[in-house]
Amino acid sequence: MTIRTPLAPCLECGLVSAIPAISGEQNACCPRCGHTLFRQVIDSHQKVLAIGTTCLVLLTISLVFPFMTISVQGLSHHIVLLNALSVFHYFDNNALAVLLVLTVILLPACYVLALMVLFVLAAKKQEGDYPGDSWWVKQLLRFVFRIEHWLLVDIFLVGVLVSIVKIAAMTDVVMGESFWAFMLFTLMLVKISRATDRHWLYHHLFRPMPTGKVKAGDTHLSQNHTACRLCHCINIPDENGDMPDACQRCHSALQPYNPEKSLTISAALAITALVLYAPANLYAMMYTISFGSTESSTIMDGVILLWQLGSYPIALVILTASVIVPLTKMLILFHLLMTAKTTHHPDDSLAKLKLYRFIELIGRWSMIDVFVVALLAALVQFNNLMSISPGPAVAYFALVVIFTLIATMIYDPRALWTQEAISPAITTKPATQDLPNG
C-alpha cells in the first residue's frame, strides 16, 4: 500500500520536506540532516497485533515462574522477577523500587496493550470515520509515544547477565523458566517497536490536517508553523494569526521554537546531574556481608574486583556504562549547550547534531549498575553467611541518569541550525538500513 504525505517537518534540523510516494519497506529521510522522518512497514497492524500478543504472554510467564536460583554451601534461594525489581522497597527506598517496577514491567505492558488497541481501532476504520476524534484515543496515543523512551527492559536484561558473571565464581546460579521467557519478551518488545508504522497509524486514526502556506524548504526559522514533537504534525496559525497552544491532531502541548528557554532548562538539569554525579561515585554502591563482616564498595571498586577476577569484558561494560557514559554524556551536553548559538555552517551543525544523537542513544544504558545492585540484593540473602544490600550511591546514580535523560529530551537540536535552507528532494532508503536516530 502506498501512502502519500505532502509535507513532513524534521524535528532535529527544522526543515520541512515534501514527501514522495513511499512503497515497500522504506524510510523517508531528511535531505539536510538525514533524520528519519518516518518508516513505512508493510502489514504493520498485523505485525503489531501478533507480536504484541506474544509479548503479553511472555511477560505473564516471566512473572509467574522462578526467575533465578542461587546456591551457597548447600543453602538455596530463588527469586521471581518482581522480587528483583521491588527489592529496594525492603531497604526503605520505595521511590527506586517503583521506578524499576514501572520501567521494566508496568510501562512495557501498558505500552504493548495500548499500542495494540490503537492499531485495532485504525484497522477497523470506516470511510469518513476518524477514531482519533475521540478524546480518549488522543490520550492513549500520547501515552504510548511518551513512555517509549522510558522502557528499560533491554537494559535490565543486560544487568541480569552482568550480575550472573559477578557472582558465578562464588555461587551456583540456575536460570529459571521466567528468565528465558523474559529474554524472549525483551526481543519481542524491540521487534514491536520496529514493526510500528506511525505514519500508517496517524493516517488511519486522524483526519488530514491543513498545512496552510507552509511549503517544502521552510524551517523552524520561518515562523509560519509549529511542529508537534510527539506526532510530527505541522500546526499553522488560526484565522487571527495566533499559533495554537495544542497540536491540532493529537492535542499535545506545542513547544514553539524558543532556544533560550530549552537551553536554559536543559543546562539546569545537566548541572544538577553533574552535582549528583559526585556522591554517586564517592558513596558505597552496595554493602557485602560475608561471615559477619561488612564490606562496602563503590562503582570503581566493583570494576576493579571484576578485573581482578578475570572478568575483563564485564568490567569494561560496567566501567563504560557507569563511569564513562554518564561523564561523556554530560560533557557533550555542556558542549552543545555552550556552542549552540555559535553554529553557522551546515557542516558544523551536522557534526554537533551527530553528537546529540550519540548521547540520546547511549543515555539509558547507564541504568545497568542500578539493575545489577537490585538483582544482587534480591539474590544474595543468606543472613550473616553472605548477603548484599544497596548503598546510598544507588539513588544518586539513578537520579544522575534520570536528569541527564530529561536534559537531553528538553534540549532542542533545532537550535544548532541558525540558517534557512532550501531543501533538495527528500531521500528514501530501505528500512533495513535505518539507524535508530529517530
Side-chain angles (χ1 to χ4, degrees):
M1 179 180 181
T2 298
I3 298 173
R4 296 178 183 273
T5 302
L7 298 174
C10 178
L11 300 183
E12 293 195 350
C13 74
L15 180 68
V16 176
S17 301
I19 306 293
I22 302 295
S23 60
E25 299 276 349
Q26 284 191 321
N27 300 338
C29 303
C30 175
R32 181 156 75 159
C33 71
H35 175 65
T36 300
L37 300 178
F38 71 83
R39 290 182 301 110
Q40 180 160 290
V41 182
I42 301 300
D43 297 326
S44 178
H45 66 289
Q46 296 177 4
K47 293 178 181 178
V48 166
L49 295 179
I51 299 171
T53 303
T54 305
C55 278
L56 295 177
V57 171
L58 290 171
L59 181 59
T60 302
I61 295 173
S62 66
L63 290 173
V64 173
F65 296 98
F67 189 74
M68 199 178 296
T69 301
I70 182 173
S71 301
V72 178
Q73 297 185 2
L75 299 175
S76 296
H77 176 60
H78 76 269
I79 60 169
V80 295
L81 179 60
L82 199 56
N83 292 147
L85 296 172
S86 60
V87 67
F88 289 113
H89 165 71
Y90 301 101
F91 296 97
D92 297 324
N93 198 330
N94 295 324
L96 208 51
V98 170
L99 176 67
L100 266 61
V101 173
L102 277 175
T103 56
V104 179
I105 296 179
L106 293 181
L107 288 182
C110 292
Y111 169 80
V112 172
L113 191 58
L115 194 62
M116 291 173 65
V117 170
L118 289 174
F119 270 89
V120 167
L121 292 174
K124 292 184 176 181
K125 173 186 178 295
Q126 301 295 324
E127 186 69 28
D129 176 38
Y130 293 97
D133 289 343
S134 299
W135 173 85
W136 71 271
V137 174
K138 294 183 187 340
Q139 292 282 354
L140 199 62
L141 182 89
R142 296 203 298 270
F143 170 78
V144 166
F145 294 123
R146 279 175 179 164
I147 68 169
E148 196 172 29
H149 198 72
W150 296 98
L151 308 182
L152 305 182
V153 176
D154 49 347
I155 300 172
F156 175 73
L157 181 61
V158 175
V160 171
L161 300 178
V162 171
S163 303
I164 294 171
V165 174
K166 271 195 170 186
I167 61 176
M170 302 175 287
T171 62
D172 295 324
V173 181
V174 178
M175 317 308 294
E177 299 92 336
S178 173
F179 171 81
W180 303 110
F182 187 80
M183 179 179 287
L184 292 174
F185 167 68
T186 303
L187 296 175
M188 290 297 102
L189 192 64
V190 174
K191 194 170 181 63
I192 197 173
S193 177
R194 299 300 299 168
T196 300
D197 187 333
R198 295 194 185 194
H199 179 61
W200 184 91
L201 187 63
Y202 300 151
H203 178 79
H204 286 76
L205 285 180
F206 300 102
R207 60 183 71 250
M209 294 292 116
T211 55
K213 297 181 180 179
V214 181
K215 62 185 183 303
D218 285 345
T219 71
H220 55 293
L221 302 175
S222 303
Q223 298 183 345
N224 59 359
H225 72 282
T226 299
C228 175
R229 299 190 70 174
L230 186 72
C231 75
H232 305 184
C233 177
I234 293 177
N235 290 266
I236 58 175
D238 58 22
E239 58 274 8
N240 298 321
D242 298 324
M243 196 66 69
D245 296 326
C247 175
Q248 296 167 321
R249 181 157 66 183
C250 71
H251 284 187
S252 294
L254 290 177
Q255 301 175 8
Y257 180 62
N258 188 347
E260 288 77 14
K261 181 179 179 180
S262 64
L263 295 177
T264 300
I265 297 176
S266 183
L269 293 168
I271 292 172
T272 304
L274 185 61
V275 172
L276 293 170
Y277 186 69
N281 282 273
L282 295 176
Y283 288 162
M285 198 71 174
M286 64 183 182
Y287 298 104
T288 303
I289 299 176
S290 182
F291 299 102
S293 62
T294 303
E295 181 181 350
S296 63
S297 60
T298 62
I299 293 176
M300 283 305 302
D301 290 336
V303 172
I304 293 171
L305 177 61
L306 285 170
W307 190 270
Q308 291 174 342
L309 292 173
S311 301
Y312 306 122
I314 301 301
L316 291 175
V317 168
I318 294 296
L319 178 65
T320 301
S322 301
V323 180
I324 297 176
V325 167
L327 189 58
T328 301
K329 183 174 180 178
M330 284 185 284
L331 291 175
I332 292 177
L333 188 55
F334 281 123
H335 168 68
L336 294 177
L337 288 166
M338 291 186 293
T339 61
K341 297 181 181 180
T342 63
T343 301
H344 298 291
H345 196 277
D347 290 341
D348 187 27
S349 300
L350 187 57
K352 292 177 181 177
L353 183 58
K354 289 179 179 178
L355 288 176
Y356 170 78
R357 291 171 180 170
F358 173 71
I359 63 174
E360 190 179 37
L361 180 66
I362 66 172
R364 301 161 60 249
W365 288 94
S366 299
M367 282 293 289
I368 285 180
D369 223 21
V370 176
F371 288 131
V372 168
V373 173
L375 196 68
L376 292 178
L379 271 174
V380 186
Q381 294 296 329
F382 298 99
N383 298 322
N384 287 332
L385 176 63
M386 181 183 292
S387 64
I388 292 176
S389 59
V394 179
Y396 287 107
F397 193 78
L399 287 173
V400 170
V401 178
I402 291 171
F403 277 111
T404 52
L405 278 173
I406 299 175
T408 306
M409 292 177 184
I410 291 179
Y411 181 87
D412 191 345
R414 295 177 300 173
L416 301 173
W417 301 84
T418 57
Q419 292 182 336
E420 292 277 7
I422 301 300
S423 163
I426 195 169
T427 57
T428 61
K429 61 181 179 181
T432 53
Q433 297 179 10
D434 182 38
L435 295 176
N437 60 18

